[in-house]
Amino acid sequence: MHRLRTCAAKLRPLTASQTVKNVSHSGAAVSRTFQQWRFYTAPVAAEPFLSGTSSNYVEEMYFAWLENPQSVHKSWDVFFRNANMGAAPGTAYQSPPPLGASLASLSQAQSMVVAQPNVDKLVEDHLAVQSLIRAYQIRGHHVAQLDPLGILDADLEASVPANLATSSNGLAFYGLDESDLDKVFHLPTTTFIGGNETALPLREIIQRMEMSYCQHIGVEFMFINDLEQCQWIRQKFETPRAMQFNNEEKRTLLARLIRSTRFEEFLQRKWSSEKRFGLEGCEVLIPALKTIIDKSSENGVENVIMGMPHRGRLNVLANVIRKELEQIFCQFDSKLEAADEGTGDVKYHLGMYHRRINRVSNKNITLSLMANPSHLEAVDPVVQGKTKAEQFYLSDTEGKQVMSILLHGDAAFAGQGIVYETFHLSDLPSYTTHGTIHVVVNNQIGFTTDPRVARSSPYPTDVARVVNAPIFHVNGDDPEAVMYVCNVAAEWRNTFHKDVVVDLVCFRRNGHNEMDEPMFTQPLMYKQIKKQKPVLKKYAEKLTSEGVVTQQEFEEEMAKYDKICEEAYTRSKDEKIMHIKHWLDSPWPGFFTLDGQPKSMTCPSTGLTEDMLNHIGNIASSVPIEDFTIHGGLTRILKSRGEMVKNRMVDWALAEYMAFGSLLNEGIHIRLSGQDVERGTFSHRHHVLHDQNVDKKTCIPMNHLWPNQAPYTVCNSSLSEYGVLGFELGFAMASPNALVLWEAQFGDFHNTAQCIIDQFISPGQAKWVRQNGIVLLLPHGMEGMGPEHSSARPERFLQMCNDDPDIVPKFTEDFVVRQLYDTNWIVVNCSTPANYFHVLRRQILLPFRKPLIIFTPKSLLRHPDAKSSFDTMLPGTEFLRGIVEDGVAAHKPQDVKRLLLCTGKVYYELAKERKTRDLQAEVAITRVEQLSPFPFDIIEQEAKKYCNAEIAWCQEEHKNQGYYEYVKPRIRATIHRERPVWYVGRDPASAPATGNKNTHLQELKRFLDTSFNLDAFKNLGK
Ligand SMILES: Cc1ncc(C[n+]2csc(CCOP(=O)(O)OP(=O)(O)O)c2C)c(N)n1
Ligand SMILES: [Mg+2]
């Protein structure tokens, strides 16, 4: 290796100014000859024939020469021997002596290994040919015939790269000309076009390169920096006659195209004025997906999880997932009554789950298509999370059994940032799904927008290059080419377990939907589209002319499928009721009763035994493995944890430990993900210990609690909220028996994941009857840290709660749990560690799943008063939805002048101020810990108890933010609007907090003053 480095260092490529000298603006290069290079004398010595691309080739030659000097051409042998003997850079290459050279210079040249006659021309021409081969591998896709319409260039660039033979100066670019075409050249090891031949005439080389890279498939892969992977791809696309299908395969392909095409035609006939986002123009998508699934199933994949946008979705449901056709058809009947609770979704957003035998592999396979919102690409990370979870539960550590397929539109793939964020999860240890196959329905339009104004990259797929995914562009009107690349994509995923992209270049026969007029905006494109023969017709003609099928067989196959559709249509008319639950993408077998109901409407106590608390506490304050050196500061932290355990107390971090540890013992997998969660942004958690002496040696004490405990996953995530929250949401979908938590670095950062919150978490169950128990930990609190980092925007979450502010529910026996069951999500702001502990445990002990939003504290993590005793965590204890006043005021409630209601950390500021002012008897403070669903019963009880008191809501957030708008009508409804609900807090503001520390403190002082000024609301009226 050292020798190679030395040699390779000498083989430094020329700098840009030293290489191609004149490249005109049109992109055509002015040819340069090897003559120019030969007489070039570099001030800094370098080998003159080396350019950036040829240096790789020379390296390969060098490797081959090292192994066996006979294996390379004599000229190379001479060159490497000279270089290895220490020839100065630029001199190892031997040009023949010029006429009339002096004897002295001749003898000097002869002292080196003497070159063969004509060797220089041979070397030059070979290098030129190797460069030409490489040029095709790198740039062939730019001239591949990818657009079925023949009017657009898939890379948005009409010119031919100057270094391809097809460019006007192609051969001259390399110093070659027509006379070289019949000369035979040795083929480098980096091409497979020769098959069994090691040398070919240049004419044949060019023809084979054109066949491999410039027909209906354009392969983008040369940016991949792994030689083995590049060789693998070259072999797939260059090997002569690689792309061949037998008659059986061709017939299957035709049958699939028939289904795809006739399905859309059937829908069009029956419901001509319904939106369905048809697949016309990309009918080949169905056989493409089926090929990927067949091949993957053959390779051992048992579970495929798919995410896709609107285009062709119904067709995929019908012909790939194999949803019963009548179930699809009845979605077009608007009069069907919904049988399930929830508000449902339009038909082209629904998901599906189906297990069946794959006919090609004869193996069982489960296919699911995830329900998704209209928001394009938002489902991508959700699919990945679900896939990861399925792999995790099957211990499929390499992704051999479970895989994901993501479909994309061309405009969305290029435009939506979440695509990039999802790609960046693809190779991270706790997020990888070991390779996703991406299929782009590249119809070269996005609604009415032309690609030339929709993206700045040549292809819509360029985003995939960041993870070194190969990209196979293919003309959608060549079904066999499509099948071929889909097979290769599936094999790639199976071989390397990395992402790959299939770019189906196609067109959109109709408008954006079936009601839309495309001629307004794309007149010329659509004139061409009108002339375009359907791909089914073209392929059927091809197969009949090849004698693979007869016209009659073809027509019979079509009639057969039409009949299937007609019969299903008739059956669909019998359906009177629509069950959204038939469209579930993630069933949870065993979790509900057979009718999909929770098994009970109760929640057991979330407390733990003293022994359990002690055991977890002791592990949390120790290093449970030998020979492990932790940081001195951490030793102190663990020691103080140990002290707390001895004193039967917990702080925030220890309470979390207790909740997690106990659930692990109950077989519940826990996954905590987010930025810097392992240590905790505020350095309070320390779930992963790092050996101070050994690199990458870590210890997760949480995984050392019990021998048969469930595993604990804690993972620092990439710096993406949208991607990671989506991922965790998907993870939480796979099983109800896991506690999946996503923590924002600061609560306000959740807004870059707003789409996941608005589109999935809040309305998910209503739209798709699918429950989800994800937990969001959102650090929140006004600590004078400025407008950012202060507010997790509770008002936004509360505004999306579905409980009625004006109706006080009946306080039945199961009121508390039923209220949770009826809500779309649970929003809490705990003020004590014990309550945080209970709410985490309740999340799993409930007989159903709801998203849980927790505003978590920052300063309370270390606040001396924010500690809880073991007594509040023992069996029989539970989560307190409200923590009612239990001090002096509670003993003589009729004397209390003011009932202050609040939530979260402001309680500690209020309590301190009350004490300072000695107003414990006059002011009662009750904390609302569960904001939604609202604890009407507790508020009613408190209002009655303090019957002579003014009621005020106190919050540290600005008036138009925080909780006031949410709690006010609910408190008013509870007290029958008999008393006003006064506001104490900061004035309305557009920013969440001031950037000035002093202003912050003044504001705090002002609202504390108002809180305890018992005359503050006098004479203000109701
Ligand atoms: C995030 C988001 N923004 C805008 C839209 C509105 N919209 C729906 S389809 C569409 C065009 C999509 O084009 P493309 O991704 O190429 O898919 P195609 O419809 O061509 O298959 C747009 C802009 C959306 N659904 N989601
Ligand atoms: Mg499009």
Side-chain angles (χ1 to χ4, degrees):
M1 198 59 213
H2 170 71
R3 279 170 72 212
L4 170 69
R5 280 214 198 95
T6 332
C7 188
K10 285 180 193 162
L11 304 179
R12 199 167 51 235
L14 297 177
T15 61
S17 62
Q18 291 163 339
T19 53
V20 180
K21 287 194 179 141
N22 309 303
V23 178
S24 73
H25 273 292
S26 70
V30 173
S31 75
R32 77 185 163 180
T33 62
F34 282 87
Q35 202 67 24
Q36 282 171 304
W37 294 356
R38 198 177 304 153
F39 292 118
Y40 171 77
T41 48
V44 181
E47 294 305 335
F49 51 81
L50 283 178
S51 66
T53 40
S54 63
S55 65
N56 285 348
Y57 163 66
V58 176
E59 257 178 44
E60 280 162 29
M61 282 296 201
Y62 182 66
F63 274 125
W65 178 81
L66 278 178
E67 270 180 29
N68 174 12
Q70 309 293 316
S71 68
V72 300
H73 189 269
K74 189 74 193 155
S75 54
W76 282 115
D77 184 24
V78 170
F79 172 74
F80 290 132
R81 272 199 275 159
N82 283 344
N84 258 24
M85 282 165 54
T91 61
Y93 168 68
Q94 290 286 295
S95 57
L99 280 176
S102 73
L103 271 179
S105 62
L106 250 185
S107 67
Q108 188 196 349
Q110 279 163 358
S111 70
M112 306 292 272
V113 180
V114 181
Q116 304 280 303
N118 292 330
V119 135
D120 11 343
K121 173 68 178 148
L122 256 176
V123 170
E124 289 158 6
D125 289 354
H126 267 82
L127 274 177
V129 172
Q130 317 309 346
S131 299
L132 181 65
I133 289 173
R134 199 170 168 83
Y136 273 98
Q137 293 168 337
I138 295 172
R139 298 206 173 79
H141 58 87
H142 286 298
V143 295
Q145 298 147 38
L146 298 174
D147 175 23
L149 302 175
I151 51 175
L152 282 171
D153 287 282
D155 61 351
L156 308 181
E157 172 61 60
S159 70
V160 177
N163 59 350
L164 296 186
T166 36
S167 94
S168 54
N169 271 328
L171 288 179
F173 180 86
Y174 297 98
L176 298 168
D177 58 33
E178 292 270 316
S179 68
D180 293 310
L181 285 174
D182 292 316
K183 287 191 192 147
V184 173
F185 290 88
H186 282 277
L187 297 169
T189 52
T190 50
T191 186
F192 294 83
I193 52 168
N196 296 329
E197 314 283 335
T198 54
L200 287 175
L202 178 57
R203 190 187 300 281
E204 185 66 19
I205 290 175
I206 292 172
Q207 205 213 336
R208 291 192 189 188
M209 292 315 286
E210 296 262 335
M211 286 303 290
S212 302
Y213 291 108
C214 308
Q215 302 300 303
H216 287 157
I217 299 175
V219 194
E220 256 190 296
F221 69 107
M222 289 292 280
F223 50 82
I224 298 176
N225 41 30
D226 181 300
L227 181 62
E228 185 198 348
Q229 291 172 10
C230 284
Q231 287 292 77
W232 189 93
I233 292 173
R234 287 192 266 242
Q235 182 161 30
K236 292 290 173 198
F237 289 97
E238 293 180 2
T239 304
R241 292 171 301 283
M243 201 178 91
Q244 283 194 336
F245 294 92
N246 63 33
N247 288 353
E248 181 61 28
E249 289 166 328
K250 290 180 183 180
R251 276 195 292 269
T252 303
L253 176 47
L254 182 69
R256 288 173 169 178
L257 265 185
I258 288 174
R259 281 177 169 257
S260 170
T261 309
R262 302 299 276 195
F263 178 80
E264 297 294 350
E265 286 175 7
F266 185 84
L267 295 185
Q268 183 60 28
R269 265 202 311 281
K270 298 288 184 200
W271 297 280
S272 58
S273 57
E274 278 275 339
K275 277 191 212 168
R276 65 187 151 85
F277 297 102
L279 200 49
E280 293 95 332
C282 194
E283 291 90 342
V284 78
L285 175 69
I286 299 302
L289 289 176
K290 290 183 82 84
T291 303
I292 291 171
I293 293 167
D294 291 346
K295 191 84 199 165
S296 303
S297 169
E298 265 173 30
N299 288 331
V301 169
E302 292 163 12
N303 188 345
V304 177
I305 298 163
M306 300 177 12
M308 72 176 294
H310 49 285
R311 178 92 38 227
R313 194 169 169 113
L314 296 176
N315 209 326
V316 168
L317 280 169
N319 289 315
V320 179
I321 314 262
R322 289 295 177 99
K323 174 101 189 143
E324 300 83 3
L325 290 176
E326 52 267 41
Q327 291 284 332
I328 297 177
F329 296 158
C330 75
Q331 289 288 315
F332 285 88
D333 183 349
S334 57
K335 289 187 291 296
L336 279 187
E337 262 182 56
D340 321 276
E341 87 287 358
T343 45
D345 201 349
V346 291
K347 48 192 167 291
Y348 41 83
H349 288 164
L350 296 172
M352 172 62 201
Y353 171 95
H354 192 47
R355 187 167 173 77
R356 65 185 176 89
I357 292 271
N358 178 283
R359 301 232 175 90
V360 175
S361 65
N362 234 347
K363 293 180 186 168
N364 260 322
I365 187 147
T366 302
L367 301 172
S368 46
L369 176 64
M370 307 281 285
N372 62 231
S374 177
H375 293 52
L376 294 167
E377 307 289 348
V379 80
D380 298 1
V382 184
V383 169
Q384 299 301 72
K386 165 113 191 284
T387 307
K388 182 76 182 171
E390 301 285 0
Q391 290 174 349
F392 178 83
Y393 295 122
L394 286 173
S395 303
D396 179 17
T397 51
E398 292 169 65
K400 290 191 167 158
Q401 290 155 270
V402 187
M403 70 176 258
S404 57
I405 301 178
L406 286 179
L407 280 80
H408 314 268
D410 53 321
F413 199 49
Q416 290 292 310
I418 187 59
V419 174
Y420 177 86
E421 293 182 41
T422 308
F423 267 116
H424 266 286
L425 297 177
S426 69
D427 216 13
L428 306 180
S430 297
Y431 302 85
T432 178
T433 55
H434 307 281
T436 298
I437 302 183
H438 299 264
V439 180
V440 183
V441 173
N442 180 359
N443 53 19
Q444 310 183 85
I445 192 163
F447 202 163
T448 67
T449 302
D450 186 290
R452 280 165 291 210
V453 295
R455 63 173 194 257
S456 295
S457 59
Y459 294 101
T461 50
D462 288 56
V463 59
R465 295 169 66 124
V466 293
V467 293
N468 275 323
I471 300 162
F472 306 141
H473 308 280
V474 57
N475 185 319
D477 262 13
D478 182 344
E480 290 181 10
V482 172
M483 288 324 95
Y484 188 72
V485 299
C486 287
N487 264 318
V488 175
E491 281 183 37
W492 164 274
R493 197 258 168 201
N494 184 51
T495 308
F496 298 109
H497 287 283
K498 285 172 58 89
D499 283 30
V500 51
V501 179
V502 174
D503 178 23
L504 295 178
V505 187
C506 55
F507 59 93
R508 189 188 71 192
R509 186 169 289 279
N510 302 315
H512 177 57
N513 59 55
E514 291 62 35
M515 305 288 90
D516 201 59
E517 174 52 83
M519 292 288 278
F520 285 141
T521 49
Q522 271 74 22
L524 298 185
M525 184 188 209
Y526 273 81
K527 271 183 198 154
Q528 178 60 36
I529 287 175
K530 280 183 186 147
K531 290 188 225 146
Q532 195 79 6
K533 223 188 236 183
V535 64
L536 174 62
K537 196 159 191 296
K538 279 202 243 176
Y539 193 57
E541 283 170 9
K542 176 175 183 287
L543 292 200
T544 39
S545 73
E546 285 176 13
V548 178
V549 288
T550 63
Q551 182 64 21
Q552 193 191 345
E553 283 166 336
F554 170 56
E555 281 166 14
E556 279 171 8
E557 188 70 27
M558 287 205 291
K560 199 168 101 192
Y561 186 65
D562 289 353
K563 190 159 167 265
I564 291 173
C565 290
E566 280 297 344
E567 286 171 2
Y569 177 65
T570 311
R571 282 197 303 277
S572 76
K573 290 187 164 165
D574 298 337
E575 300 268 345
K576 297 276 176 290
I577 293 176
M578 187 186 64
H579 294 273
I580 309 176
K581 62 174 174 276
H582 287 169
W583 296 82
L584 258 185
D585 54 23
S586 317
W588 291 343
F591 186 66
F592 299 110
T593 64
L594 285 179
D595 340 330
Q597 297 301 311
K599 289 186 176 159
S600 80
M601 263 301 152
T602 55
C603 181
S605 162
T606 41
L608 294 179
T609 62
E610 184 101 21
D611 281 354
M612 182 79 103
L613 293 171
N614 271 320
H615 176 68
I616 301 170
N618 289 334
I619 296 284
S621 39
S622 65
V623 182
I625 57 172
E626 308 269 297
D627 297 330
F628 196 95
T629 314
I630 59 169
H631 188 270
L634 193 53
T635 311
R636 282 193 296 282
I637 291 174
L638 296 189
K639 194 160 166 247
S640 75
R641 270 188 196 170
E643 295 293 318
M644 266 193 289
V645 175
K646 267 194 217 129
N647 295 327
R648 303 183 65 253
M649 298 292 280
V650 295
D651 64 1
W652 212 269
L654 201 46
E656 185 180 81
Y657 230 107
M658 300 294 188
F660 287 7
S662 56
L663 290 171
L664 293 169
N665 185 39
E666 290 159 39
I668 301 297
H669 167 54
I670 299 183
R671 180 178 162 98
L672 170 62
S673 143
Q675 291 150 30
D676 306 292
V677 294
E678 295 177 6
R679 189 199 73 175
T681 296
F682 313 105
S683 202
H684 69 297
R685 185 174 282 130
H686 297 287
H687 282 189
V688 180
L689 313 180
H690 292 259
D691 193 299
Q692 298 294 303
N693 303 323
V694 186
D695 189 31
K696 298 197 184 83
K697 187 174 170 194
T698 56
C699 168
I700 302 177
M702 195 82 79
N703 274 323
H704 294 262
L705 284 164
W706 289 278
N708 296 320
Q709 68 172 84
Y712 174 53
T713 307
V714 55
C715 38
N716 286 351
S717 72
S718 72
L719 213 167
S720 151
E721 287 80 22
Y722 193 173
V724 178
L725 178 57
F727 188 97
E728 301 312 333
L729 181 86
F731 201 104
M733 263 172 209
S735 164
N737 299 319
L739 182 67
V740 181
L741 309 98
W742 174 75
E743 182 172 73
Q745 185 115 66
F746 286 96
D748 49 354
F749 292 121
H750 80 253
N751 59 14
T752 66
Q754 200 65 51
C755 179
I756 298 294
I757 295 167
D758 288 0
Q759 264 46 54
F760 290 86
I761 301 182
S762 171
Q765 187 179 349
K767 293 200 288 193
W768 307 312
V769 289
R770 185 181 57 194
Q771 298 188 0
N772 195 303
I774 186 154
V775 180
L776 272 60
L777 301 178
L778 305 176
H780 170 82
M782 317 283 273
E783 322 270 10
M785 290 171 76
E788 267 66 69
H789 301 165
S790 290
S791 177
R793 297 294 199 169
E795 64 277 9
R796 300 241 176 100
F797 290 92
L798 293 173
Q799 187 236 342
M800 282 192 274
C801 294
N802 65 358
D803 59 339
D804 193 325
D806 302 322
I807 297 178
V808 180
K810 288 211 169 59
F811 303 141
T812 53
E813 209 179 306
D814 61 1
F815 165 70
V816 174
V817 178
R818 184 152 298 277
Q819 216 194 1
L820 293 171
Y821 181 67
D822 290 338
T823 194
N824 58 326
W825 57 16
I826 304 165
V827 182
V828 304
N829 188 1
C830 303
S831 65
T832 69
N835 233 13
Y836 177 51
F837 155 87
H838 283 296
V839 82
L840 290 177
R841 284 186 45 79
R842 185 183 77 171
Q843 188 65 359
I844 289 297
L845 296 187
L846 279 172
F848 46 82
R849 294 288 171 261
K850 296 284 165 171
L852 171 62
I853 318 299
I854 310 184
F855 303 114
T856 55
K858 291 169 286 180
S859 58
L860 293 196
L861 300 177
R862 294 182 176 80
H863 195 291
D865 296 339
K867 296 233 167 77
S868 300
S869 155
F870 277 14
D871 290 339
T872 55
M873 300 161 80
L874 292 175
T877 58
E878 60 180 6
F879 173 69
L880 302 174
R881 292 169 298 132
I883 302 184
V884 296
E885 171 65 61
D886 63 352
V888 181
H891 302 136
K892 276 198 178 172
Q894 64 280 14
D895 293 349
V896 169
K897 305 270 181 323
R898 181 172 291 170
L899 169 61
L900 270 183
L901 298 172
C902 66
T903 186
K905 101 163 210 282
V906 76
Y907 165 76
Y908 292 92
E909 275 139 2
L910 291 171
K912 188 170 159 216
E913 188 69 15
R914 179 176 63 173
K915 199 166 170 208
T916 312
R917 297 181 183 225
D918 199 16
L919 286 172
Q920 286 97 324
E922 286 82 0
V923 181
I925 307 176
T926 284
R927 288 168 262 176
V928 178
E929 302 274 303
Q930 177 175 294
L931 290 148
S932 181
F934 192 68
F936 289 96
D937 52 339
I938 296 174
I939 298 301
E940 185 186 81
Q941 170 202 308
E942 291 294 274
K944 278 188 183 153
K945 183 169 177 181
Y946 302 101
C947 53
N948 299 321
E950 290 174 336
I951 299 177
W953 175 263
C954 177
Q955 65 178 31
E956 56 177 356
E957 297 81 1
H958 289 278
K959 190 172 185 179
N960 57 328
Q961 301 167 28
Y963 326 89
Y964 181 56
E965 293 293 338
Y966 174 84
V967 296
K968 183 179 167 185
R970 287 167 177 80
I971 303 171
R972 296 264 295 151
T974 313
I975 57 173
H976 309 293
R977 299 173 185 82
E978 284 163 359
R979 282 184 265 174
V981 176
W982 301 108
Y983 170 76
V984 184
R986 289 179 161 90
D987 292 340
S990 56
T994 172
N996 181 307
K997 185 90 186 182
N998 209 26
T999 311
H1000 166 80
L1001 293 172
Q1002 277 171 7
E1003 288 171 353
L1004 173 64
K1005 182 172 178 311
R1006 209 175 306 143
F1007 84 72
L1008 288 177
D1009 279 346
T1010 313
S1011 300
F1012 297 101
N1013 172 1
L1014 298 178
D1015 295 330
F1017 309 120
K1018 283 245 164 77
N1019 308 322
L1020 284 182
K1022 282 202 174 181

